[in-house]
Amino acid sequence: MYKITAKEHFSDAVVKLTVEAPLIAKSRRPGHFVIVIDSKHGERIPLTIADADPAAGTITLVVQGVGESTRAICAMEPGQSLTDVVGPLGRATTIRNGGTVVCCGGGVGVAPLLPIIKAMKAAGCRVVSVLAARTRDLIILEEEVRAHSDEVIIMTDDGSYGQKGLVTAGVEQVLQREPVDEVVTIGPAVMMKFVAALTRKYNVPTVASLNTIMVDGTGMCGACRVSVGGKMRFVCIDGPEFDAHQVDFDEMIMRLRP
Amino acid sequence: MNQDTISPRSAQWREELRRSITAKQRGEIARVAMPELPADFRVTTLSEEVNMGLSSEQAVLEARRCLDCPDPQCVTGCPVGINIPGFIKNIERQNFTDALAVLKETSALPAVCGRVCPQEKQCESKCIYNKMKKPAVAIGYLERFAADNADAPVPAKAPRLGIKVAVAGSGPAGLSFAGDMIKRGFDVTVFEALHEIGGVLKYGIPEFRLPNSVVEKEIDALRDLGVEFHKNTIIGKTLSYDDLIAEGFKAIFVASGAGLPRFMGIPGENYINVVSSNEYLTRVNLMHAGSDEYATPVHRGKRVAVIGGGNTAMDSCRTARRMGADKVMVVYRRSEAEMPARIEEVKHAREEGVEFLTLHNPVEYLADERGHVRAMRLQRMELGEPDASGRRSPVPVEGAIEEVEVDMVIVSVGVSPNPLIPSAIPDLETTRRGTVAVNDETLRSSIPTIYAGGDIVRGGATVILAMGDGRKAAAAMAKALLD
């Protein structure tokens, strides 16, 4: 059992949970994810690791309640335990040593982006972070992102905070004004698709972290398969990060539909 | 392989038993038929086992058929070298406990093997009766009978050696290895990636063929012997090879199994409701998606195509019938004679209303406007010259393409080895196919403290071959650690 030791509400539907998982806390790297089962009859769902504290033996998960299981996890309180947590899974992010990186995250995608921002900054990159959400209340982890970024651009669909507009508008501002070595994007598939389309135009290498359906998460079921550069790849084993310019986002979006 | 047994052929009781009736009389007894649930009831239940098992009377009578040959060839057909006449003769004299004890001398999982081994290709294919044009002794049914009808005798505990060994994976290879090593006195810890112990026995093989309770019983027996199990732990991810060495483990047996499902690379394979058999069976078997109490969803297709002709394909098509499909079609590119599935599985599938489209091969899937698969295009095939495997290879019949409506496709054309461990331990040599390279005799890898067996070495084989590997690796590792 994996005890929840702390909980913080980011919004009605988004919570941050600190969970006891000492081995994972020690071995995880930015980009990794875990598979979580909330209860005895629960399903296996992939969640990216937002942070970890190896000394305390805990990992941080940011969960958005969208389905039955994620809503059940969001309703859990400190002291309760997740039945199963396994990981760290996937390949870790390749961290650049220097250069300018634009890290853009949408919605809860900011959570898995945070460890990448931290690592890029620590490795000596100039980090410009672009955070986007529908509205002000859904912007998460702004303070933490600010602490590890050279600049933060906030975009909201309704203009209630930062600039009004989509994440792509924020990214394009940076691309237009300075040379960028790499863009990292994590968020809804549609968002990543448009970020990829934008950066292709500017010819800037771009990494997208994909959030497909998974069952086991260990390279067995094939539910997470995506087409990358015309080849079948498995997000759990080969990913979750891929060259965004090679990903067939339309197919991925189709496969995510119920 | 089988030198120490509690029931040698020279035992007095066996001599007396052999003399009690003549070989001719034994040969006149008809081979027992396995009692089965009726097919129309079977398709309504995911969990009821199709084969109901023999009664004591049936088992004792079948055991009497065995001639207790002086040079029993059946044993040579068994990958783990079970003392087959030894356990069968114990059944004949109605000492079921000793029958199970003999099985447990070499097999950690007799209740499993009795159900899922392809005996007709192994022990039973070597039975002397085949030469006499009579049906072989039903060794598999008898093995299952003994395992189900006796309490597992607790073997005398070997003196502890104080040497720790680790196992990556709790499927048949890992469990078999763990059983042998704990009996030798090693401290054995099994690490499993999933949230249940048992590997393919849990996620792959359906309950109607191998109930989970049967697997649990065998695992509990290993636990009683002192084997430690840790679930949710992936060697190479949660714990590295170096972590294990630092924890004091002296050697590791990698039995991480088959992994990535293969697809055919044809257009439309990524449409919704085209799934691998691994995904389908994992959802239904491991995650219980067929039960309303569980959260995992699964698509319940009404017209389902299963692509492939192996045992996994049979498990998939029979599961689909039980999940409410009206029409289930097995699509196989060769003829039925070449089908790798066990004859019994094909028979059961057919009884359950599964249709067989042999000499057909999918070339494309078509979808509706939402991306849900709605049809498959099948290429008719005919048999040509024998290929490298000795089977006549299928060749397309030019222009013979038909379209068949489906709302679900389960692709069951094989798996590749699980890449997790090979990619986590860069020094571990692999083959071109991605399997761990090992010495054929010792199953030792390029790293002297790492041994490997089962599907991570074989790429995709049977439960019993995996178990044989577990035994072989245990013998070799024990020797290396004790010398």
Side-chain angles (χ1 to χ4, degrees):
Chain A
M1 299 290 263
Y2 301 78
K3 198 159 112 189
I4 297 170
T5 58
K7 178 180 181 179
E8 186 183 329
H9 282 272
F10 283 160
S11 70
D12 285 349
V14 180
V15 301
K16 179 175 112 173
L17 299 175
T18 309
V19 180
E20 280 179 1
L23 293 177
I24 302 173
K26 212 175 87 182
S27 48
R28 72 96 217 188
R29 299 282 172 271
H32 280 148
F33 67 95
V34 287
I35 292 269
V36 171
I37 307 180
D38 65 324
S39 61
K40 193 161 169 274
H41 293 174
E43 62 182 320
R44 295 172 69 93
I45 51 168
L47 294 171
T48 32
I49 304 170
D51 204 353
D53 182 343
T58 58
I59 56 171
T60 306
L61 305 173
V62 174
V63 191
Q64 181 171 27
V66 284
E68 189 190 337
S69 300
T70 45
R71 278 198 295 268
I73 292 172
C74 286
M76 291 177 85
E77 295 298 333
Q80 291 185 292
S81 293
L82 298 163
T83 316
D84 300 278
V85 178
V86 63
L89 295 162
R91 290 172 190 266
T93 311
T94 306
I95 303 298
R96 299 182 61 85
N97 295 311
T100 297
V101 183
V102 174
C103 294
C104 65
V108 286
V110 175
L113 195 60
L114 177 61
I116 299 171
I117 292 170
K118 278 188 186 174
M120 294 278 195
K121 182 70 195 158
C125 300
R126 169 176 154 75
V127 178
V128 181
S129 297
V130 183
L131 309 186
R134 250 182 11 255
T135 186
R136 176 174 197 142
D137 292 346
L138 301 178
I139 295 285
I140 62 168
L141 295 167
E142 183 190 341
E143 222 173 284
E144 290 87 340
V145 169
R146 280 199 192 280
H148 301 277
S149 304
D150 293 274
E151 185 189 346
V152 176
I153 298 170
I154 308 267
M155 305 295 302
T156 51
D157 294 4
D158 62 2
S160 55
Y161 188 44
Q163 302 174 40
K164 181 174 159 63
L166 298 175
V167 68
T168 40
V171 176
E172 190 155 23
Q173 285 171 27
V174 188
L175 295 176
Q176 278 175 345
R177 73 170 189 220
E178 63 182 298
V180 172
D181 297 291
E182 185 178 348
V183 173
V184 180
T185 178
I186 311 183
V190 175
M191 180 203 107
M192 293 190 284
K193 172 186 164 175
F194 284 105
V195 170
L198 172 76
T199 60
R200 190 183 290 118
K201 212 167 66 185
Y202 286 85
N203 211 13
V204 178
T206 300
V207 167
S209 177
L210 308 185
N211 49 348
T212 52
I213 291 167
M214 291 183 190
V215 184
D216 64 288
T218 63
M220 231 171 57
C221 78
C224 66
R225 64 192 190 273
V226 287
S227 298
V228 181
K231 289 207 178 82
M232 184 183 288
R233 306 292 297 274
F234 297 94
V235 173
C236 69
I237 290 287
D238 302 318
E241 292 172 9
F242 293 98
D243 175 350
H245 296 160
Q246 301 291 319
V247 173
D248 183 342
F249 281 105
D250 290 334
E251 180 186 89
M252 180 187 156
I253 290 164
M254 173 199 79
R255 287 179 58 78
L256 281 168
R257 278 201 303 255
Chain B
M1 204 190 267
N2 179 52
Q3 53 287 56
D4 300 316
T5 176
I6 58 161
S7 297
R9 190 170 187 276
S10 55
Q12 200 188 342
W13 65 267
R14 266 177 81 171
E15 284 178 21
E16 284 165 12
L17 207 56
R18 278 197 295 277
R19 282 200 302 269
S20 64
I21 50 171
T22 66
K24 185 162 178 289
Q25 284 170 313
R26 291 181 192 276
E28 281 164 0
I29 304 167
R31 177 178 155 121
V32 70
M34 172 59 80
E36 294 171 354
L37 288 178
D40 54 348
F41 171 69
R42 275 166 17 204
V43 297
T44 66
T45 162
L46 276 169
S47 56
E48 295 278 342
E49 203 177 356
V50 170
N51 285 348
M52 297 161 72
L54 303 183
S55 67
S56 301
E57 294 73 33
Q58 285 175 312
V60 171
L61 189 62
E62 182 64 24
R64 196 165 293 151
R65 292 184 67 223
C66 169
L67 299 180
D68 200 4
C69 304
D71 183 19
Q73 290 305 298
C74 51
V75 180
T76 66
C78 175
V80 298
I82 288 174
N83 174 7
I84 292 169
F87 96 80
I88 290 181
K89 291 297 116 178
N90 271 309
I91 294 179
E92 185 181 346
R93 67 164 177 160
Q94 303 193 39
N95 186 338
F96 304 147
T97 306
D98 276 8
L100 181 55
V102 171
L103 286 167
K104 289 260 176 175
E105 285 170 351
T106 46
S107 170
L109 313 167
V112 173
C113 295
R115 287 171 165 84
V116 304
C117 268
Q119 290 97 6
E120 68 280 2
K121 290 180 188 157
Q122 298 176 350
C123 52
E124 292 181 17
S125 75
K126 308 274 186 179
C127 177
I128 187 84
Y129 277 133
N130 292 301
K131 285 191 184 147
M132 299 154 71
K133 305 279 178 243
K134 287 184 180 171
V137 172
I139 300 168
Y141 296 168
L142 290 174
E143 180 181 25
R144 171 181 162 176
F145 171 82
D148 287 358
N149 291 279
D151 284 325
V154 181
K157 282 202 174 149
R160 306 321 296 163
L161 299 163
I163 303 174
K164 283 167 70 175
V165 297
V167 187
S170 67
L175 294 178
S176 160
F177 172 89
D180 271 19
M181 289 304 266
I182 200 89
K183 279 192 250 170
R184 285 187 160 89
F186 291 87
D187 294 332
V188 185
T189 306
V190 180
F191 298 97
E192 165 58 47
L194 294 174
H195 60 284
E196 294 256 4
I197 305 298
V200 72
L201 307 176
K202 282 278 182 62
Y203 76 74
I205 303 176
E207 288 220 62
F208 57 80
R209 215 150 68 76
L210 178 64
N212 282 348
S213 57
V214 170
V215 182
E216 283 301 331
K217 190 178 151 191
E218 306 274 36
I219 292 163
D220 285 343
L222 289 172
R223 221 177 247 130
D224 289 345
L225 290 174
V227 176
E228 262 191 60
F229 290 96
H230 291 283
K231 52 184 195 164
N232 295 329
T233 311
I234 303 176
I235 301 306
K237 291 281 185 186
T238 320
L239 285 172
S240 68
Y241 169 73
D242 292 340
D243 289 336
L244 290 177
I245 298 299
E247 295 264 332
F249 289 98
K250 297 299 176 207
I252 297 155
F253 180 53
V254 175
S256 50
L260 301 175
R262 286 209 194 105
F263 288 87
M264 293 171 61
I266 60 176
E269 230 171 2
N270 289 344
Y271 283 136
I272 297 169
N273 299 330
V274 179
V275 301
S276 72
S277 50
N278 268 8
E279 176 180 349
Y280 186 64
L281 293 172
T282 299
R283 284 180 186 274
V284 177
N285 298 337
L286 180 73
M287 305 310 297
H288 307 281
S291 158
D292 291 340
E293 288 168 53
Y294 287 79
T296 300
V298 69
H299 179 63
R300 291 172 186 260
K302 286 292 167 197
R303 293 175 59 91
V304 180
V306 175
I307 315 301
N311 286 319
T312 311
M314 295 306 115
D315 286 343
S316 302
C317 68
R318 297 174 67 198
T319 299
R321 277 290 283 149
R322 285 161 172 79
M323 292 293 289
D326 298 324
K327 189 178 175 76
V328 180
M329 296 158 274
V330 168
V331 180
Y332 180 57
R333 64 199 178 113
R334 302 177 197 245
S335 80
E336 191 168 329
E338 286 81 19
M339 225 184 252
R342 290 185 69 192
I343 294 162
E344 183 181 53
E345 305 307 324
V346 177
K347 167 187 161 278
H348 280 158
R350 193 167 269 132
E351 286 167 1
E352 289 161 12
V354 172
E355 295 167 36
F356 286 80
L357 295 175
T358 51
L359 291 169
H360 282 79
N361 200 30
V363 290
E364 183 180 6
Y365 301 108
L366 308 171
D368 64 16
E369 65 289 346
R370 294 178 309 149
H372 292 219
V373 68
R374 63 163 181 84
M376 55 181 174
R377 298 185 72 230
L378 299 181
Q379 164 73 60
R380 274 258 309 285
M381 311 293 279
E382 61 189 1
L383 291 180
E385 296 300 307
D387 64 10
S389 73
R391 297 181 299 180
R392 294 180 64 194
S393 60
V395 287
V397 179
E398 211 179 314
I401 291 200
E402 49 201 277
E403 196 173 304
V404 179
E405 255 182 67
V406 286
D407 62 3
M408 183 172 200
V409 175
I410 302 168
V411 181
S412 188
V413 296
V415 287
S416 313
N418 195 314
L420 275 179
I421 291 180
S423 63
I425 308 173
D427 291 342
L428 192 62
E429 267 176 39
T430 53
T431 66
R432 211 163 24 84
R433 296 185 304 147
T435 54
V436 175
V438 292
N439 176 296
D440 284 347
E441 292 309 311
T442 60
L443 302 188
R444 194 182 226 171
S445 75
S446 57
I447 298 174
T449 48
I450 298 182
Y451 294 67
D455 278 0
I456 190 66
V457 166
R458 295 174 177 274
T462 60
V463 167
I464 189 66
L465 287 171
M467 288 181 57
D469 286 355
R471 269 180 77 68
K472 219 162 146 182
M477 188 194 288
K479 189 167 180 297
L481 289 176
L482 295 175
D483 274 357

